[in-house]
Amino acid sequence: MLSSATVYDLLQRGLGAARIRRILVDDYLSPRAGQRVLDIGCGTAEILRFMPPVEYVGFDPNPDYVEKARQRAGVGARLVCDRVSEVSLAEHAPFDLVVALFVLHHLDDAEAGQLFTTAVRHLKPGGLLLTADPAFVPGQSPIARFLISRDRGAFVRDEGGYVRLAAARGVNPIQSTVRHDLLTVPYSHCILTHRKPVA
């Protein structure tokens, strides 16, 4: 059912996804008008509701999500029904901000590592990469652990697992934060940020 953009949006809203996106944009991304933004696994481009006018490029492999994203994003945004790759990014890069929200836990280590490599390569010096995914955390709420164990993603990791994935692809420096307050239900997220050094 979640392959339907309408069902996906309804579920996201019910869980408080608008709140989590606002927090991620305001507390971590701090986008400025006119910046170039790459959204990997953009879904229906809900994040645009919380951003100033930006040059937005969104990738998602689900055609129903991409069509809904096109309707939401309007003229000027570029939406691509595909997975991100070196070839698919060639005409779009570089970017001030790269976001991959709730994507890594759907990818095995090889594909997740490639995401990090590709994202950082196409990030401008001084640009920011942000990821956020469900995470298993020692001592977390039993309800959160249960819900996360039932997630569609087959590769939910703990905080260290996400950090090691990034570090193995040379993503440095990297900051990680675990938060339990982003949804209306008990849940745990691992947030990674990387500011690409200026040479």
Side-chain angles (χ1 to χ4, degrees):
M1 289 196 311
L2 290 178
S3 62
S4 162
T6 301
V7 173
Y8 173 82
D9 275 350
L10 286 172
L11 178 62
Q12 292 277 299
R13 287 172 192 161
L15 292 173
R19 181 173 181 275
I20 188 172
R21 286 185 173 87
R22 181 175 296 283
I23 290 170
L24 291 172
V25 169
D26 291 350
D27 294 358
Y28 297 91
L29 281 176
S30 301
R32 299 188 305 275
Q35 286 188 313
R36 292 181 52 77
V37 177
L38 170 63
D39 191 352
I40 302 173
C42 66
T44 59
E46 274 278 313
I47 199 168
L48 283 175
R49 294 173 53 204
F50 310 102
M51 288 189 168
V54 294
E55 293 185 41
Y56 180 83
V57 179
F59 278 76
D60 199 285
N62 183 314
D64 198 33
Y65 290 4
V66 170
E67 182 54 36
K68 186 71 174 284
R70 284 195 178 105
Q71 296 169 19
R72 174 170 284 129
V75 178
R78 304 192 70 175
L79 282 303
V80 183
C81 186
D82 197 0
R83 289 179 177 267
V84 165
S85 67
E86 295 293 336
V87 173
S88 63
L89 279 182
E91 65 178 285
H92 303 290
F95 298 95
D96 300 287
L97 303 171
V98 176
V99 297
L101 304 184
F102 323 117
V103 174
L104 294 174
H105 71 289
H106 292 285
L107 308 178
D108 64 22
D109 286 2
E111 197 169 13
Q114 186 57 49
L115 184 150
F116 277 115
T117 299
T118 302
V120 171
R121 182 172 292 137
H122 295 285
L123 193 62
K124 292 179 180 178
L128 182 72
L129 167 66
L130 170 72
T131 72
D133 285 274
F136 293 118
V137 181
Q140 73 191 133
S141 158
I143 297 173
R145 181 166 286 271
F146 173 79
L147 292 174
I148 291 168
S149 72
R150 298 299 187 268
D151 190 278
R152 285 189 299 164
F155 301 98
V156 176
R157 301 161 175 95
D158 61 13
E159 179 183 15
Y162 289 116
V163 171
R164 285 190 294 275
L165 270 176
R169 291 303 182 113
V171 180
N172 183 53
I174 192 147
Q175 293 185 318
S176 65
T177 306
V178 172
R179 294 188 61 160
H180 308 280
D181 62 339
L182 298 180
L183 292 181
T184 57
V185 296
Y187 216 77
S188 305
H189 291 90
C190 177
I191 299 166
L192 301 182
T193 58
H194 163 70
R195 179 76 66 181
K196 188 171 184 177
V198 177

